[in-house]
Amino acid sequence: MAVVLYITANPNDHETSYSMAVGKEFVQAYRSANPYDEVIHLDLYKMDIPELDADVFSGWGKLGAGSGFDKLNDAEKTKVGRLVELVDQFVAADKYIFVNPIWNYSFPPVMKAYIDSICVAGKTFKYVSGIGRVGLLRDKKAVHIQASGSVLSPGSALADFEMGHRHLNAIMEFFEVPSFESIFVEGMAVNPDHASEIKENAVQQAREVALCF
């Protein structure tokens, strides 16, 4: 049985959001094909995700210097402890489904906060003398579902402006995740007359990808 994290960064639900609508169809198709796998929904807008602030860096510094967790102050314990929970949950999972809209050419800030929480040396990557950075998630799979009003996917005229999928792709390469697929739901704002068709095409792609995920 595989454990799948369904990670959504959207304040809207599938009724009003293109990315969430396609994400829902992906999960339904996946569950039908893999009934014994566990799919855990992480709604980033409803989760406690500590920002990397002074308390976090102070706590990490104390731990790095050899202090025990019990020596941290209350704020450091709360934030550092929560970050450990998040990255441990991520590492323990087998597959990841990331879902987000594009806002101002990037994903919502809560997605960046989550990414920061899982980029942890010794957990998702490590440094090796003479080699450099080595990813530690070489047995995982990931898929990214992203919606945008403009057409921003690779090869489009605005592809260089897009910072959401490219950022997540860099992180997956950083972790050395070997399989990372993408589903773009895009162009609804510039082609409103074709919005329903664009959504349906993305839904069909999501169902097909889900069967092999």
Side-chain angles (χ1 to χ4, degrees), residues 6 20-21 23 41 47 66 73 85 115-116 125 134 152 167 174 202:
Y6 176 48
M20 293 294 286
H41 185 189
M47 290 173 56
N73 64 41
E85 291 175 355
I115 289 173
D116 285 342
F125 70 95
V134 174
L152 304 174
H167 187 143
F174 183 50

Side-chain angles (χ1 to χ4, degrees), residues 98-157:
F98 295 94
V99 179
N100 65 268
I102 278 290
W103 293 349
N104 304 315
Y105 296 115
S106 189
F107 40 53
V110 68
M111 180 68 89
K112 177 59 165 61
Y114 183 73
I115 289 173
D116 285 342
S117 78
I118 59 175
C119 290
V120 180
K123 299 278 189 175
T124 49
F125 70 95
K126 65 180 179 180
Y127 292 107
V128 177
S129 178
I131 298 177
R133 183 271 308 164
V134 174
L136 298 177
L137 303 185
R138 299 178 181 179
D139 58 345
K140 314 294 185 180
K141 298 181 71 173
V143 64
H144 184 206
I145 299 170
Q146 178 170 282
S148 59
S150 299
V151 177
L152 304 174
S153 56
S156 69

Side-chain angles (χ1 to χ4, degrees), residues 26 90 94-98 137-144 165 168-169 171-173 175-182 209 212-213:
F26 185 100
F90 191 81
D94 303 291
K95 304 175 184 180
Y96 316 109
I97 306 164
F98 295 94
L137 303 185
R138 299 178 181 179
D139 58 345
K140 314 294 185 180
K141 298 181 71 173
V143 64
H144 184 206
H165 179 71
L168 192 55
N169 183 65
I171 295 299
M172 293 300 102
E173 289 186 1
F175 297 162
E176 295 191 38
V177 173
S179 175
F180 182 51
E181 299 189 67
S182 57
V209 173
C212 301
F213 184 62

